[in-house]
Amino acid sequence: MNLIDFSKKGDYFVVCTSNILEAKLYDTKTKKVIATLDKNHKEISCVAIDPDAKYVFSASDDGVILGLDIETAEVDFTLPHHIDTVNEIAFSEDSKW
C-alpha cells in the first residue's frame, strides 16, 4: 500500500490525509496544496504520480482509480472498475503504460 508518492523529478508529492478519504497533491517548491483528490467513494488504498508528472492517481477500496490532471487540478478520467481493492499503482519505465 502506497499512501505517499513523489514525482520522478521531485516537483510534486501526493499524500493521503489522516482519514484516508482524500489525498492532497503538493508542490515541493512552494509547499502548497495544488489539488485535493476527494472523489473516491471509499478509503483510498494507494496513490501514485506518473513518471512524466502529468497525472496523479488515487485508488480506493471500491476498486475505482481516478486520474487527476496535475496542470488543471481536475479529475480527467476514471479507469475501468476493478472487482476488489487496488493496492498498488505502477508504471512502465518508458511511461507508456
Side-chain angles (χ1 to χ4, degrees):
M1 190 179 318
N2 204 12
L3 298 179
I4 187 169
D5 193 34
F6 288 85
S7 63
K8 195 174 183 179
K9 294 182 181 178
D11 296 333
Y12 307 103
F13 73 93
V14 60
V15 62
C16 285
T17 58
S18 59
N19 66 9
I20 312 178
L21 294 175
E22 65 181 19
K24 296 197 180 280
L25 177 67
Y26 289 85
D27 181 309
T28 56
K29 292 179 187 115
T30 64
K31 311 288 191 272
K32 293 186 180 185
V33 174
I34 55 175
T36 300
L37 292 95
D38 58 359
K39 304 287 188 235
N40 293 90
H41 297 289
K42 297 221 176 178
E43 289 185 349
I44 294 175
S45 53
C46 62
V47 292
I49 298 173
D50 81 288
D52 295 330
K54 292 181 182 176
Y55 296 100
V56 59
F57 294 89
S58 65
S60 60
D61 288 345
D62 60 359
V64 173
I65 301 173
L66 302 175
L68 179 129
D69 184 308
I70 291 176
E71 189 175 308
T72 65
E74 298 288 329
V75 173
D76 203 24
F77 57 88
T78 303
L79 293 177
H81 188 86
H82 290 72
I83 311 173
D84 205 353
T85 301
V86 176
N87 292 313
E88 189 171 351
I89 300 170
F91 301 94
S92 63
E93 290 284 326
D94 62 5
S95 306
K96 292 182 181 179
W97 301 98

